[in-house]
Amino acid sequence: MCMAVPSRILSIDGMVATVEAFGRQRQTSLMLLDEEVAVGDYVIQGAGGNFAAERVPEETALATIDYLSGVLADGLA
Amino acid sequence: MEFPDTGIAVTLSTAQGAVRRVSIRSGRLVRAAALFAGRTPAQVLTLLPTVFSLCGTAQALTGLTAMETAAGLTATPATRQARRILVLAETIAEHGLTLCRDWPPLLGEAPDLDAARRWKQDFGAIRPLLYPDGDALSPGGGRLAPDRAALLRTAAAGRDLLDHVLGAPADSVLADAAAFAGWLKRAPGACARLLAEAGWPCPLGTPTPMPPAGPADLDLRLRTDRNGDYLARPDSAGIVCETGAFARRAGHPLVAALNGFAAQARLTARLVDMAAALRELAGLVQDLTGQPAGPVSLTDGTGLATTEAARGLLAHRVSLEGGRVSDYRILAPTEWNFHPDGPLARTLAGLTADAGLERRAVLLVNAFDPCVPCRVTVE
């Protein structure tokens, strides 16, 4: 499934952020975001993962990560 | 624990100048929706658009409709119309992003991020123009109060933006094969250059478009799918149908005229789909009426719902017991188009194995519009 994993922003350099999800870090462009983001915010990636698509409220991000952790633990991943 | 690679790997094995074997392996988590079990409908409706954000609106609305069906509820015509507008807006935004963000890099060019941002922002902003209270996902429909003028302005801006991206009026470019060929020759932008490159003869045989509401036995197959085989490799009476923009627009004169050019026909169908979605959206807005929110609560039962999302048929089947989800299954369009024996595999099989094979395979993969990253390897 085309699952989006919420990633937490660790640092921002210009329009590029270093984000982390499930222990993996990657860089993503903030050029297509509709709103300002800051370190500690959660974003989800668009298709291909090169651009952050939207900011996700922390509560929703954590609920999604909890669900995805369950998917991993249950062996469905 | 690292989250696994959920992409698709396409491997072409060649011998004696031709592709002899096509292997499509998918890491997609097709059974993940089973983990919705035990959650409330409200919790699932919060998760759906985030977990499946690429077509989050279609996912959430399909889930909501399946839950309403389970409860024996049918949304009012105005609510159904508003939901259709939301799905069309998402389709337009997704296609627009593909054209501006993804297609230029396929040519080694920089993406047109200004245009990409406009598709995303303009059509992402449609929801509050329909549901100002933010309750679009309320069972039975939220308070519908359409701002018709603003919605029509968005549709008009979308038509102008499509003309800008194509470098010519979309209506004239897509009118017929001669006008389209003239546009390719003038090649006013990245879209035209990519479509021109994709115009190599590549016969597919007779395409098998998805029936509009999906296979007749969809509910039965989803219900009896014990271990996820159908979710991973669906079929309709043994046939793996094609779904998405090409299947939807196969009857359009230009798309039909490009039969025999598999990549070009499918990429062009995306443009035809955008233009048609913009027209349909504007038409639906014209006579859309407001209505108050219906205080509706969900009850136990089982329901199936389908939506024509940007990439094709999306199906959700949900069972509710004791006010919570007891079973949830999602069948997404990519499982049809990227099936190991599906339309992409059939198209790749038999391609000439020369120096241009990998490039042509990459263009074909993009033409079939996967919703996850897809790697191509030639061996």
Side-chain angles (χ1 to χ4, degrees):
Chain A
M1 210 70 73
C2 42
M3 304 186 89
V5 182
S7 303
R8 196 166 65 89
I9 297 178
L10 300 178
S11 63
I12 297 176
D13 181 6
M15 292 304 286
V16 177
T18 300
V19 300
E20 181 272 334
F22 283 93
R24 183 179 169 197
Q25 291 186 20
R26 64 187 304 167
Q27 295 204 310
T28 189
S29 168
L30 304 175
M31 296 278 285
L32 292 182
L33 278 181
D34 304 345
E35 55 184 319
E36 293 282 320
V37 289
V39 170
D41 284 347
Y42 286 87
V43 292
I44 48 180
Q45 313 283 99
N50 297 325
F51 293 93
E54 61 183 286
R55 191 179 76 82
V56 184
E58 184 173 12
E59 188 184 355
T60 306
L62 294 177
T64 305
I65 291 168
D66 176 63
Y67 161 74
L68 293 172
S69 300
V71 171
L72 278 178
D74 215 65
L76 295 177
Chain B
M1 192 186 303
E2 191 168 315
F3 206 73
D5 175 14
T6 57
I8 293 174
V10 174
T11 305
L12 307 179
S13 304
T14 63
Q16 292 156 346
V19 174
R20 300 298 174 190
R21 200 170 75 86
V22 178
S23 162
I24 300 181
R25 284 186 295 114
S26 169
R28 286 160 54 70
L29 312 178
V30 296
R31 293 165 63 205
L35 263 283
F36 289 152
R39 296 173 195 265
T40 65
Q43 287 171 328
V44 172
L45 290 172
T46 302
L47 282 175
L48 277 172
T50 306
V51 173
F52 306 110
S53 66
L54 205 56
C55 53
T57 297
Q59 294 276 4
L61 290 174
T62 310
L64 174 61
T65 307
M67 291 172 189
E68 290 171 344
T69 305
L73 301 169
T74 304
T76 64
T79 294
R80 292 203 299 274
Q81 207 165 324
R83 290 176 180 176
R84 174 70 179 156
I85 289 170
L86 289 173
V87 171
L88 288 169
E90 183 172 73
T91 298
I92 293 162
E94 271 299 300
H95 288 341
L97 277 169
T98 303
L99 261 60
C100 300
R101 179 194 58 199
D102 302 338
W103 285 10
L106 281 173
L107 294 163
E109 300 177 13
D112 183 352
L113 293 181
D114 287 339
R117 218 171 4 246
R118 282 191 57 198
W119 288 118
K120 184 170 171 290
Q121 291 177 356
D122 289 1
F123 288 88
I126 270 189
R127 191 182 290 200
L129 300 179
L130 292 163
Y131 292 98
D133 300 338
D135 54 359
L137 295 179
S138 293
R143 184 175 72 86
L144 179 57
D147 183 340
R148 272 184 294 273
L151 287 161
L152 288 172
R153 278 198 299 276
T154 301
R159 286 193 297 274
D160 290 345
L161 186 55
L162 183 57
D163 292 352
H164 164 75
V165 169
L166 298 185
D171 286 346
S172 62
V173 168
L174 305 173
D176 55 47
F180 181 73
W183 175 67
L184 292 187
K185 202 170 173 185
R186 290 196 306 281
C191 284
R193 287 195 291 279
L194 186 74
L195 283 162
E197 187 192 343
W200 79 87
C202 181
L204 172 62
T206 307
T208 49
M210 180 70 71
D217 61 355
L218 182 60
D219 187 65
L220 174 71
R221 297 292 296 276
L222 286 171
R223 176 165 56 83
T224 57
D225 185 35
R226 297 283 171 229
N227 51 14
D229 286 348
Y230 180 72
L231 293 180
R233 292 176 296 281
D235 67 271
S236 175
I239 296 169
V240 184
C241 302
E242 180 167 350
T243 189
F246 177 73
R248 282 195 290 271
R249 308 299 170 191
H252 184 277
L254 175 58
V255 176
L258 297 176
N259 191 22
F261 299 86
Q264 193 182 53
R266 280 161 184 76
L267 295 170
T268 304
R270 213 90 59 83
L271 306 182
V272 170
D273 203 44
M274 282 186 86
L278 284 162
R279 275 194 301 274
E280 184 182 347
L281 188 150
L284 287 171
V285 167
Q286 300 276 4
D287 59 351
L288 183 63
T289 54
Q291 67 174 31
V296 168
S297 55
L298 295 170
T299 57
D300 290 355
T302 294
L304 170 72
T306 60
T307 299
E308 266 298 323
R311 290 172 178 78
L313 186 85
L314 175 66
H316 284 218
R317 187 180 190 276
V318 61
S319 295
L320 300 174
E321 286 179 27
R324 290 181 180 267
V325 170
S326 60
D327 189 50
Y328 208 114
R329 292 159 196 229
I330 298 176
L331 176 58
T334 295
E335 271 57 67
W336 292 93
N337 291 339
F338 288 76
H339 186 294
D341 302 314
L344 172 67
R346 293 196 295 267
T347 309
L348 291 168
L351 284 185
T352 302
D354 57 18
L357 173 60
E358 185 168 334
R359 174 66 177 168
R360 291 198 301 279
V362 165
L363 290 179
L364 272 170
V365 162
N366 279 278
F368 279 89
D369 202 9
C371 63
V372 290
C374 185
R375 286 191 314 278
V376 174
T377 307
V378 176
E379 60 181 27

